[in-house]
Amino acid sequence: MTEVIDGNAVAEDVRGDLEDGIETLADAGVRPGLATVLMSDDPASETYVSMKQRDCEEVGIEGIHVELDADAPAEDLYDTVADLNADPEVHGILVQMPLPDHVEDREVLRAIDPEKDVDGFHPENVGRLVAGEPRYRPCTPHGIQKLLDATGVETEGKDVTIVGRSNIVGKPLANLFFRKAHDGNATVTVCHSRTTDLEAKTRCADVVVAAAGVPEMIDGSMLTEETVVIDVGINRVDADNEKGYELVGDVDFESAKEKASAITPVPGGVGPMTRAMLLYNTVKAAGRQEGVAVDLP
Ligand code: NAD
């Protein structure tokens, strides 16, 4: 029987694990604060940010939200980031991507205080991750590690194939997987749009992570009965329903489920984990900045 990995349940456990940390901080008079910054009219970005704010409220993190007009000058965004960097009640800053074309993503990420960079995308934090000493693990890759751990899948000595080499998923995940650590120690193959014979790379892997943003590109024929499949993709495809669309992953769930040993669904797999790990990083950030020892699993 193929195991369908329940990301909502594991995310709930992660949130439960944060309770002690939030209590320890409260005993020291600290309430963790996460600032979200939205500079976009994109409805999907608006939804993501409001979900993050709701998550904060539910676990006892102070949510601070700043919204800028999508056509405001880039300077306004830098000023906002500078204010949040200086605000002692803000421990984590998340600037929702994508930004409008006239704002340079990379420059904005550089402007965030690395101690408050709970996404883990500031070059200093990327450097630490590559050096094997992450300060904050990027949320989606960290969530994937937690999902595997909760499913009893060890990566040590295993072959992992990641499909996608983005800065937010593929690259940081590869670094975490081959890191010399109990939840790393894997042999990692990173595939991308120029990879030839993708199927050969997925079929020889113990764990396949699909993060290409191409609807249902990986099907059961590309897997074996032992493969554990983590589907990161969130793709909107036309559908004959009220909304006119549905969300599908990068994996063809039905055929993959017939074959693989375990698989994450979309939605309800990696997505909830990404949100939970943002809360995790915010609690960690508050502990670091306030000098309070917070015990996080
Ligand atoms: P991206 O567009 O930045 O990168 C996609 C990567 O896939 C690129 O490296 C590209 O080379 C590779 N790729 C594209 N087509 C390919 C093909 N045919 N074969 C092999 N490789 C191919 O995407 P991203 O930001 O990493 O996101 C990937 C997907 O994951 C998207 O669907 C996104 O919505 C989703 N996502 C989900 C979460 C979550 O929390 N569940 C988080 C981040 C991203």
Side-chain angles (χ1 to χ4, degrees):
M1 269 293 278
T2 304
E3 179 177 358
V4 177
I5 303 169
D6 185 349
N8 285 312
V10 182
E12 202 44 51
D13 289 346
V14 170
R15 289 154 64 120
D17 288 342
L18 294 180
E19 276 172 23
D20 282 351
I22 292 173
E23 208 173 297
T24 307
L25 286 163
D27 290 346
V30 176
R31 183 169 157 99
L34 174 70
T36 51
V37 183
L38 179 67
M39 188 180 190
S40 165
D41 299 325
D42 172 34
S45 292
E46 284 169 9
T47 307
Y48 288 143
V49 165
S50 65
M51 288 193 305
K52 287 165 188 170
Q53 285 294 333
R54 200 178 60 215
D55 290 343
C56 286
E57 202 176 305
E58 281 171 10
V59 300
I61 290 174
E62 182 71 32
I64 300 111
H65 181 56
V66 184
E67 234 170 278
L68 299 170
D69 285 341
D71 55 5
E75 268 321 304
D76 289 8
L77 181 54
Y78 291 118
D79 289 347
T80 300
V81 169
D83 288 348
L84 295 170
N85 281 344
D87 186 339
E89 299 198 347
V90 171
H91 303 102
I93 301 172
L94 180 141
V95 178
Q96 185 65 43
M97 301 287 166
L99 289 166
D101 290 345
H102 67 284
V103 185
E104 181 56 59
D105 294 7
R106 262 188 295 191
E107 289 308 314
V108 175
L109 296 177
R110 259 176 222 279
I112 298 171
D113 178 345
E115 277 293 345
K116 298 191 178 190
D117 168 40
V118 282
D119 258 341
F121 298 153
H122 186 287
E124 183 182 314
N125 287 327
V126 174
R128 283 177 178 249
L129 171 63
V130 173
E133 295 161 5
R135 178 188 268 142
Y136 303 118
R137 298 184 196 201
C139 301
T140 301
H142 194 187
I144 292 169
Q145 287 191 299
K146 289 271 182 196
L147 270 182
L148 291 174
D149 186 46
T151 313
V153 177
E154 290 183 2
T155 52
E156 175 150 338
K158 300 283 178 58
D159 291 310
V160 177
T161 291
I162 301 172
V163 185
R165 58 176 163 186
S166 72
N167 289 338
I168 64 168
V169 187
K171 273 191 232 167
L173 183 61
N175 279 279
L176 288 173
F177 273 155
F178 60 57
R179 195 165 77 105
K180 205 168 189 174
H182 74 279
D183 53 0
N185 288 332
T187 304
V188 183
T189 303
V190 181
C191 302
H192 47 77
S193 50
R194 306 293 169 92
T195 296
T196 52
D197 199 359
L198 183 64
E199 185 176 341
K201 278 90 178 169
T202 55
R203 280 187 64 82
C204 68
D206 300 292
V207 178
V208 170
V209 180
V214 180
E216 300 178 328
M217 65 174 285
I218 298 195
D219 65 25
S221 71
M222 301 169 75
L223 309 168
T224 71
E225 271 143 28
E226 281 77 45
T227 324
V228 174
V229 185
I230 304 291
D231 190 355
V232 184
I234 304 176
N235 308 292
R236 256 187 201 209
V237 295
D238 293 342
D240 193 10
N241 60 21
E242 227 172 78
K243 286 190 275 188
Y245 71 87
E246 63 178 350
L247 295 181
V248 299
D250 288 355
V251 178
D252 171 30
F253 186 77
E254 291 309 324
S255 68
K257 187 166 162 276
E258 289 299 305
K259 193 72 166 283
S261 71
I263 183 167
T264 59
V266 176
V270 176
M273 293 305 296
T274 298
R275 286 164 59 188
M277 302 327 290
L278 178 64
L279 304 174
Y280 179 105
N281 279 352
T282 304
V283 172
K284 184 173 182 184
R288 288 177 61 98
Q289 286 157 53
E290 302 287 350
V292 178
V294 178
D295 191 20
L296 291 172

